[in-house]
Amino acid sequence: MLKEAFKFMWYDKAKMFGILFGIILSVFLIGQQLGICFALLGGTISLAENNKQYIWVVSDKSQQVSDLPLLDMRISRELMSIAGVKRVNTMVVAAGSAKFKDGTKTPITLIGTQSPRHAGGPWNFVKGNLEDLQQEGALITDEYDPISSKKIKIGDHFEFNGARVFLSGNTRSAKGLGVAYGFTTVERARKLCRISTNQASAFLVEAEPGFTHQQVVNNINKEILGVKARDGEAFTQESLKYFALNSGIVASFGLLVVFAIITGFAIVGLTMFSAVNDRLKDYGTLKAIGGTNGIIRQLILWQAVIYSTVGFVIAYVLLRGFVNVTKTSLNIKITPYLILFLIGVTLFIAVLGSLFAMRKITKMEPAQVFRT
């Protein structure tokens, strides 16, 4: 049956390539739009997502991970007295700008973490090490950030908020949405961003063995007023939900995905219907010599399976190419779930598109072939 299905497809090459084009275009656009959507959402919550192993203690006014009003450092000492708290790591997050020798500037979100553990970042190291941050003026940025495009190499100096700093290391894809992350020590971040030594943006808490994160979270929320404690996973999901509902990213990309599915379905459905219409006599002859509607359905479904298999493979290769081309600006991940979704969508478009053709043939009487 597979061989016969391929022969039917190969007979009209123009329509065969038309159907494949519709599937490839639709699947590529769906994968591309979903990949960009997830990459943008991932960028907004990357700081929380890469620190899910901690309990986040932030201001009770904070709604998501990039909104971190300053807290009093006395809270750090209060946290140490809470049952189940093993260690409290201070984090300072502040905005600033880097200035280069050519006079250009670029904004950077500076993240200060506590030595020697540096809980909170940097992550995905590719050059340098954490010990380098102990040197005066040391800063770590991402290899794909605007700083790298200024041809700043490890050890080169530049200005940050008017102070002289130098690049001591690089991370890979450790950045936010549309803004570069710079990592340094808590003390240097306070100094560069003019934040009081009595303030911090968040505390990353480690739990004592024998205590669950939820128990420690409950203890903190019960004992300390003015703060909000969240398990790292819960804080990440809370931040993701906030951006998904308030940024318009999901709505705009979701609409494009729906249009891509409709476009693919229209191209595939109409072209398959047209192809079957052109070969009505062949299908009618098949029925006249004893072919049942079941055999006809199998023949068309096999064509749909071949179309979807070839179309998906080509679209997947194109998608991989797009991911590689945009890796410096977008952190697109083709996850197994996305692949499974795309396979399902491909089959849906091909099989549903073939239903029009299938309906036409199964209703046709074999005698019609000999009357025309």
Side-chain angles (χ1 to χ4, degrees):
M1 186 62 77
L2 182 65
K3 190 177 175 183
E4 280 71 26
F6 182 74
K7 283 181 181 175
F8 268 77
M9 291 165 56
W10 193 251
Y11 176 79
D12 192 343
K13 297 182 186 63
K15 288 192 172 58
M16 181 185 76
F17 287 119
I19 293 168
L20 280 176
F21 175 75
I23 292 176
I24 293 166
L25 178 69
S26 181
V27 174
F28 174 75
L29 286 176
I30 293 167
Q32 182 207 37
Q33 296 303 316
L34 287 177
I36 294 174
C37 178
F38 294 148
L40 294 179
L41 287 175
T44 61
I45 61 166
S46 63
L47 186 58
E49 192 172 26
N50 286 282
N51 291 288
K52 288 194 287 192
Q53 66 273 38
Y54 302 108
I55 294 167
W56 282 72
V57 179
V58 298
S59 165
D60 58 358
K61 297 180 181 61
S62 171
Q63 294 182 292
Q64 34 84 12
V65 67
S66 62
D67 171 30
L68 299 172
L70 292 171
L71 296 167
D72 196 303
M73 277 302 291
R74 284 176 291 187
I75 292 171
S76 173
R77 291 186 284 276
E78 288 183 59
L79 285 169
M80 286 305 298
S81 66
I82 301 292
V85 173
K86 176 184 178 184
R87 187 176 291 112
V88 179
N89 302 286
T90 304
M91 174 187 274
V92 171
V93 182
S97 67
K99 185 178 178 182
F100 307 100
K101 288 179 181 176
D102 60 3
T104 57
K105 291 183 178 180
T106 186
I108 291 180
T109 296
L110 195 61
I111 300 170
T113 52
Q114 202 171 336
S115 301
R117 299 175 61 79
H118 290 283
W123 59 89
N124 293 346
F125 248 114
V126 287
K127 291 177 186 173
N129 55 62
L130 290 176
E131 286 71 32
D132 293 339
L133 283 178
Q134 301 310 312
Q135 301 175 60
E136 185 58 35
L139 223 68
I140 294 170
T141 65
D142 198 84
E143 64 177 351
Y144 295 143
D145 277 339
I147 287 180
S148 299
S149 69
K150 300 291 180 185
K151 297 182 179 176
I152 300 290
K153 301 186 292 296
I154 304 295
D156 287 352
H157 288 81
F158 57 96
E159 284 186 23
F160 184 87
N161 283 356
R164 193 166 186 260
V165 296
F166 77 96
L167 186 66
S168 68
N170 274 147
T171 56
R172 179 168 294 165
S173 301
K175 55 185 179 179
L177 176 61
V179 62
Y181 281 163
F183 296 92
T184 188
T185 62
V186 167
E187 296 76 15
R188 195 169 300 123
R190 284 186 176 127
K191 184 180 175 184
L192 292 171
C193 298
R194 297 175 182 82
I195 293 174
S196 166
T197 54
N198 297 320
Q199 293 178 310
S201 302
F203 299 107
L204 303 185
V205 172
E206 296 173 52
E208 285 272 12
F211 285 83
T212 65
H213 274 202
Q214 195 53 50
Q215 286 174 325
V216 179
V217 165
N218 292 340
N219 291 343
I220 294 171
N221 286 330
K222 183 180 174 185
E223 297 292 334
I224 304 179
L225 298 176
V227 301
K228 180 170 73 175
R230 290 285 185 276
D231 171 69
E233 180 66 42
F235 191 54
T236 303
Q237 293 305 317
E238 197 173 299
S239 301
L240 182 62
K241 186 179 177 183
Y242 175 87
F243 283 109
L245 295 176
N246 296 283
S247 66
I249 293 174
V250 173
S252 54
F253 281 95
L255 196 61
L256 290 172
V257 168
V258 170
F259 279 135
I261 293 175
I262 293 172
T263 303
F265 174 68
I267 294 174
V268 174
L270 292 175
T271 313
M272 281 193 86
F273 183 79
S274 173
V276 165
N277 224 23
D278 290 347
R279 304 204 63 188
L280 217 49
K281 283 187 179 179
D282 297 325
Y283 284 108
T285 304
L286 198 61
K287 290 184 77 172
I289 61 174
T292 62
N293 281 336
I295 291 175
I296 299 292
R297 288 193 194 96
Q298 282 184 43
L299 188 62
I300 295 177
L301 282 175
W302 270 114
Q303 291 181 52
V305 170
I306 296 171
Y307 279 129
S308 43
T309 303
V310 176
F312 172 79
V313 170
I314 296 174
Y316 180 77
V317 171
L318 292 174
L319 200 56
R320 277 286 177 194
F322 176 76
V323 171
N324 283 332
V325 168
T326 58
K327 67 180 181 182
T328 57
S329 54
L330 287 169
N331 185 23
I332 297 177
K333 293 175 183 170
I334 302 181
T335 62
Y337 292 114
L338 180 59
I339 293 172
L340 285 175
F341 177 76
L342 291 177
I343 291 172
V345 167
T346 311
L347 283 170
F348 173 77
I349 290 173
V351 172
L352 204 63
S354 68
L355 289 182
F356 290 115
M358 207 182 294
R359 191 166 178 269
K360 170 119 182 158
I361 295 171
T362 52
K363 281 190 170 183
M364 186 181 71
E365 292 296 330
Q368 283 181 251
V369 178
F370 304 106
R371 288 201 293 267
T372 57

